Amino acid sequence: MRPTPRLRVVSAVVLAAVVLASALLTGCARPTATVAPEAGPSHERSHSARSAKGPTHAAQPYRRWGLTAPLPAPPSPPARRLRLPDADPLPVVHRVPTRDKVVFLTYDDGAEKDPRFVDLVRELRLPVSMFLTDSVVGPGYGHFARLRSVGASIQNHTLDHAALRGLPYTGQRAEICGQQNKLRARFGIRPRLFRPPYGTYDTTTLRAARDCGITAVTLWRAAMEADGELTYAHGPAHLRPGDIISVPSGEPTGRSLRDRTTRLLRDIQGRGLTVARLEDYI
């Protein structure tokens, strides 16, 4: 009997299956058309090109803030805070006597509460000191708690930003100790450093500050003006190691605090300097 067409098809399928099984058993089956990427010279060149570009933009936050190079890390802080000039009752510091190529960034009042400034401090690991006035900060202490959580320090700039010079002892003590108490209630700290509003003080100020637990009155040698330029209290008209820089907040400049800070950082880098933590030195 001649096989039907259907039987011939079934026989062909069975025969193909037998041949395939035999090939697999003898190791002669060819792989499928999927081919692994070749790790040849072109692949290596591609990898080298990516490596030469360095870290991604996300890993270079300094570029995001308008800097052309990362801010150098400051040297290790001195084992002991530097000895300040003897003074009775307190030393008044305009600049730190150090050979380290560092300057110190200090911010007054607490009027600006830009969350992007918190980002800048965090991403650049910027050691800044915030001298706060209670009546200026108002209900915005949460912003400064966030700044403190990313490394900023909190210091005293009085309760009401009053010009202290000439006021009686009780009035000056109330301004300074009152802010010490506010900051302790808010942050659990009693600052060691105090900056009198407008930089004006007298011997009564120093006595009241000492009695409130302050160890140094901190002024500045360089101050940022409304136009973003730096002015200098004494000495050469450029930044030098040990300078304390004062940056007021809330100035009607049209430039945010973070913009003024990045401009200042470019000036600092241009002088071959970097930023260190003031509290590590005094």
Side-chain angles (χ1 to χ4, degrees), residues 196-207:
Y198 314 107
T200 62
Y201 65 95
D202 55 20
T203 55
T204 302
T205 310
L206 303 182
R207 188 159 53 92

Side-chain angles (χ1 to χ4, degrees), residues 79-199:
R80 295 182 180 180
R81 295 188 184 99
L82 301 182
R83 180 177 174 82
L84 299 174
D86 291 331
D88 185 23
L90 280 182
V92 178
V93 186
H94 294 83
R95 61 186 304 270
V96 173
T98 178
R99 293 183 179 179
D100 291 347
K101 293 184 176 182
V102 297
V103 294
F104 307 96
L105 293 186
T106 66
Y107 294 78
D108 295 349
D109 308 332
E112 289 189 51
K113 303 169 185 69
D114 180 1
R116 292 274 287 158
F117 183 72
V118 182
D119 294 339
L120 181 149
V121 171
R122 182 186 69 251
E123 292 183 13
L124 298 183
R125 299 181 179 182
L126 200 60
V128 298
S129 303
M130 315 301 293
F131 286 81
L132 300 183
T133 295
D134 183 69
S135 63
V136 177
V137 174
Y141 274 103
H143 171 79
F144 295 97
R146 289 187 289 275
L147 269 172
R148 186 166 180 257
S149 74
V150 298
S153 75
I154 304 297
Q155 304 297 339
N156 189 326
H157 198 43
T158 72
L159 278 175
D160 298 308
H161 210 269
L164 298 180
R165 186 169 58 197
L167 294 180
Y169 173 83
T170 53
Q172 297 203 41
R173 182 185 170 95
E175 282 286 336
I176 302 169
C177 286
Q179 182 64 342
Q180 290 285 83
N181 295 335
K182 286 276 187 179
L183 296 175
R184 183 176 183 180
R186 296 282 184 177
F187 303 110
I189 59 171
R190 290 181 67 83
R192 295 185 300 104
L193 306 182
F194 169 66
R195 173 167 290 162
Y198 314 107

